[in-house]
């Protein structure tokens, strides 16, 4: 039995049309038999209900679904009620985060570190939930340095996290050195690489700037060269990401978490290239 975990992440769509499209994507990706889906949570509160509704809908359709959760914009009573609702529905996995607050909300919202949320969930619900947390092979942008960032990651583990999912990266060495550093720092939970397929260079470049994920120069140069050739870029992106995933898995990564961006095509091709449906 393969103990590695493979998952797909969705975000709650803002429109009915978006939700219908996502339903079709969910159906297609379900056929690949991932271990779970996860659904992001707007820390400013924008997608709070959307997250819960989507999680419960796909859970009722038979998928294992892990809601993302954060304190941002949610008080403890509300969070307690949400945890209880998930528990009652049979949800037993969470991805707990500080969240990124939209500008203008910061000071007013309940801006608390993820380690506090892990401790809160453990205090309220004991061992009911498997708790995933986020971590950063290329360092979180708010962090003073590598060592303090790993120190804060360890606080989440000490508070009760069971496993972690990384921010995306395109340099497998960043992941290998990070895992090694974490192990030496006493972190022994599985650290699953977060994988971002490449479908839109402009959006990827902008988002990577804000979240601190590096697009290596050689890759930037190649991607820029595709210009308006969306299909060519997508195919090349599949090749690059498949090769990186192969390297990660061959070197013992404990699974892969795909940031699907609510799209099925690229992740399905990468999945098939890796023959992940054939795993025992
Ligand atoms: P934390 O672990 O709290 O860390 C945040 C920053 O504070 C880091 O720089 C850390 O080093 C520092 N820090 C931690 N503890 C302390 C302390 N005690 N004192 C001082 N500094 C400290 N965002 C969303 O809004 N919704 C989502 O659903 C979502 N899903 C995500 C899923 C994954 C797998 C990943 C990798 C990210 C996701 N994000 C999401 C983005 C995430 O919320 C941001 O990266 C956010 O800025 C940090 O969240 P965190 O949980 O890692 O925070």
């Amino acid at each position: 039995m393969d103990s590695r975990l493979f998952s797909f992440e969705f975000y709650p769509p803002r429109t009915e049309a978006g939700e219908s499209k996502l339903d079709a994507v969910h159906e297609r990706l379900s056929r690949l038999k991932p271990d779970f889906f996860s659904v992001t949570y707007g820390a400013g509160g924008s997608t709070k209900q959307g997250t819960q509704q989507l999680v419960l809908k796909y859970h009722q359709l038979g998928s294992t679904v892990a809601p993302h959760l954060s304190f941002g914009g949610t008080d403890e009573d509300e969070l307690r009620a949400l945890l209880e609702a998930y528990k009652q529905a049979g949800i037993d996995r969470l991805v707990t985060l500080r969240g990124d607050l939209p500008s203008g909300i910061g000071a007013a919202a309940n801006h608390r570190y993820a380690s506090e949320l892990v401790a809160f969930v453990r205090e309220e619900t004991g061992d009911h939930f498997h708790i995933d947390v986020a971590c950063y092979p290329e360092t979180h942008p708010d962090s003073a340095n590598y060592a303090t960032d790993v120190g804060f990651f360890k606080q989440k583990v000490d508070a009760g996290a069971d496993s972690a999912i990384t921010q995306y990266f395109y340099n497998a060495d960043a992941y290998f050195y990070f895992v090694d550093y974490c192990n030496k720092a006493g972190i022994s939970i599985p650290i699953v690489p977060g994988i971002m397929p490449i479908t839109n260079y402009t959006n990827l470049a902008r988002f990577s700037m804000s979240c601190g994920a590096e697009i290596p120069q050689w890759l930037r140069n190649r991607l820029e060269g595709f210009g308006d050739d969306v299909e060519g870029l997508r195919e090349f992106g599949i090749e690059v990401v498949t090769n990186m995933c192969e390297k990660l898995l061959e070197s013992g990564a404990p699974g892969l978490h795909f940031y699907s961006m609510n799209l099925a095509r690229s992740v399905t091709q990468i999945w098939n290239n890796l023959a992940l449906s054939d795993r025992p």
Side-chain angles (χ1 to χ4, degrees):
M1 181 74 185
D2 191 347
S3 63
R4 299 172 305 170
L5 286 185
F6 296 89
S7 46
F8 295 122
E9 180 173 309
F10 292 148
Y11 61 85
R14 290 179 189 277
T15 62
E16 274 183 36
E19 188 159 337
S20 303
K21 268 168 92 176
L22 183 58
D23 289 346
V25 168
H26 169 254
E27 198 190 321
R28 277 182 67 184
L29 295 182
S30 294
R31 287 188 222 134
L32 303 180
K33 300 197 181 358
D35 293 290
F36 67 95
F37 291 92
S38 81
V39 181
T40 65
Y41 185 82
S46 57
T47 66
K48 259 188 332 203
Q49 282 187 335
T51 304
Q52 191 179 0
Q53 279 163 12
L54 211 58
V55 165
L56 296 181
K57 178 161 86 172
Y58 294 156
H59 174 72
Q60 275 157 15
L61 288 172
S63 296
T64 301
V65 193
H68 294 208
L69 194 64
S70 71
F71 266 125
T74 307
D75 67 29
E76 289 194 359
D77 285 342
E78 221 181 316
L79 211 57
R80 221 170 259 125
L82 188 55
L83 288 171
E84 189 54 32
Y86 283 143
K87 217 173 136 179
Q88 292 301 326
I91 303 288
D92 57 9
R93 188 174 192 117
L94 295 172
V95 183
T96 61
L97 304 139
R98 180 194 73 176
D100 278 328
L101 301 173
S103 53
I105 291 192
N110 206 354
H111 189 164
R112 293 168 67 176
Y113 294 116
S115 54
E116 297 173 64
L117 180 56
V118 175
F120 179 81
V121 173
R122 284 286 173 243
E123 221 174 273
E124 294 294 324
T125 61
D127 286 337
H128 176 78
F129 292 102
H130 177 108
I131 300 181
D132 268 308
V133 290
C135 61
Y136 303 84
E138 296 176 317
T139 312
H140 185 270
D142 296 352
S143 281
N145 58 53
Y146 201 92
T148 52
D149 200 35
V150 171
F152 292 132
F153 173 30
K154 184 157 189 308
Q155 281 185 7
K156 297 192 269 197
V157 179
D158 293 344
D162 297 295
S163 51
I165 301 169
T166 74
Q167 182 59 278
Y168 68 86
F169 52 85
Y170 295 105
N171 177 355
D173 279 342
Y175 170 80
F176 297 134
Y177 278 99
F178 180 72
V179 171
D180 189 49
Y181 191 96
C182 289
N183 289 343
K184 286 178 182 146
I187 296 171
S188 56
I189 61 170
I191 298 176
V192 174
I195 304 297
M196 180 72 87
I198 302 172
T199 52
N200 178 320
Y201 175 63
T202 312
N203 287 351
L204 184 70
R206 194 181 52 234
F207 190 54
S208 299
M209 281 267 283
S210 66
C211 73
E214 187 206 21
I215 307 176
Q217 192 61 48
W218 71 269
L219 183 55
R220 240 172 223 285
N221 293 346
R222 285 293 302 268
L223 295 175
E224 276 168 9
F226 284 96
D228 293 335
D229 178 6
V230 178
E231 203 47 37
L233 179 124
R234 213 181 61 78
E235 287 302 324
F236 177 67
I238 287 169
E239 184 190 326
V240 169
V241 173
T242 298
N243 288 341
M244 185 178 75
C245 291
E246 268 170 0
K247 203 166 164 185
L248 291 166
L249 293 174
E250 277 165 12
S251 302
L256 298 170
H257 177 80
F258 290 93
Y259 298 105
S260 80
M261 304 308 285
N262 290 3
L263 299 169
R265 220 170 129 200
S266 288
V267 288
T268 301
Q269 276 181 261
I270 296 166
W271 184 277
N272 290 338
N273 290 346
L274 297 168
L276 290 177
S277 292
D278 299 339
R279 66 195 200 280

